[in-house]
Amino acid sequence: PGAPPYVRDIIDQGISIEKLPPLLPVIPQKSDLPEITDPGAVAESVSVQQLKQRILDLQSMGSVDGGLGSREYSQPGNVEAAEYLYRRLASYGLNVWYEDFIADNGRLLLNVVGEIPGNDSSKMYLMTAHFDSIADDTKNPVLAPGALDNATGISVLLETARALSGYKLQHPVHFAFFNGEEYAFQGAHAFANNASTTESRPYVGAFNVDSVGASLSQNQLYVNATQS
């Protein structure tokens, strides 16, 4: 526990460094899961109470007294949030791993990725949300609870993962939680580079969720696609 460690000098010496995942009991994969025949049934299993609780959990991270904390990318609450995401996804039976990267502040930051396997891995689907926060209004990185931006998006992804984990899927679904989004999308860039260059994951669709319930004049859904 603590702030994300400064590792630039170590990396510059040619030494690799990584964050080890928390030690957790192994949850056996279920082989007799049903297929999704009615998407409405999956939607009905979503728990509003779970959504609210995840937001409450996240906005207090990094706080010394259980009040409002911070997930700003240099703060201890940022690491706490990453471990929290890892543990929650693992508790749903997902395969989970860290994809770490070096941020512009020289610190070792963590993206967290969970996978629900599918029968056909020639196509993969992706859901994303960022978990770091920023202190534009308080100007104090120690106080950046980020309930709206983006604990709401995180809670949607976690609850979606929980709901889908009870089914056999045709294609794998990855849930990626990005770090350093508030500072030039650093975690998203690191993830995309690894997914496309290093591992060539065949993502055919991605859904990014951010600031659910924001006070805007209208609901917004941006669709980006190729001609095909």
Side-chain angles (χ1 to χ4, degrees), residues 23-104:
L23 293 175
L24 301 173
V26 176
I27 300 178
Q29 295 284 344
K30 297 179 180 179
S31 58
D32 56 346
L33 295 174
E35 295 184 354
I36 297 176
T37 57
D38 177 13
V42 184
E44 289 174 1
S45 71
V46 169
S47 165
V48 173
Q49 183 56 42
Q50 288 284 336
L51 290 167
K52 290 180 177 179
Q53 188 58 55
R54 301 290 80 78
I55 295 171
L56 291 172
D57 291 345
L58 288 155
Q59 70 178 8
S60 66
M61 289 184 182
S63 169
V64 296
D65 57 4
L68 298 179
S70 173
R71 300 186 307 279
E72 200 266 351
Y73 79 152
S74 67
Q75 299 299 310
N78 187 278
V79 178
E80 184 182 350
E83 293 198 353
Y84 172 88
L85 294 170
Y86 193 107
R87 292 176 185 276
R88 290 229 65 87
L89 292 171
S91 74
Y92 304 149
L94 273 68
N95 304 317
V96 193
W97 62 90
Y98 289 138
E99 293 188 9
D100 49 32
F101 64 97
I102 311 302
D104 61 357

Side-chain angles (χ1 to χ4, degrees), residues 155-189:
S155 69
V156 167
L157 257 66
L158 287 175
E159 187 60 6
T160 303
R162 186 193 67 78
L164 287 178
S165 66
Y167 294 90
K168 182 186 300 182
L169 303 184
Q170 182 177 0
H171 300 288
V173 177
H174 286 182
F175 296 84
F177 298 84
F178 298 146
N179 209 337
E181 188 267 359
E182 300 289 6
Y183 297 90
F185 307 103
Q186 294 179 67
H189 285 299

Side-chain angles (χ1 to χ4, degrees), residues 113 123-126 174 191 195 201-206:
V113 186
K123 295 181 180 180
M124 294 179 175
Y125 290 89
L126 177 66
H174 286 182
F191 174 88
R201 297 176 192 159
Y203 291 129
V204 294

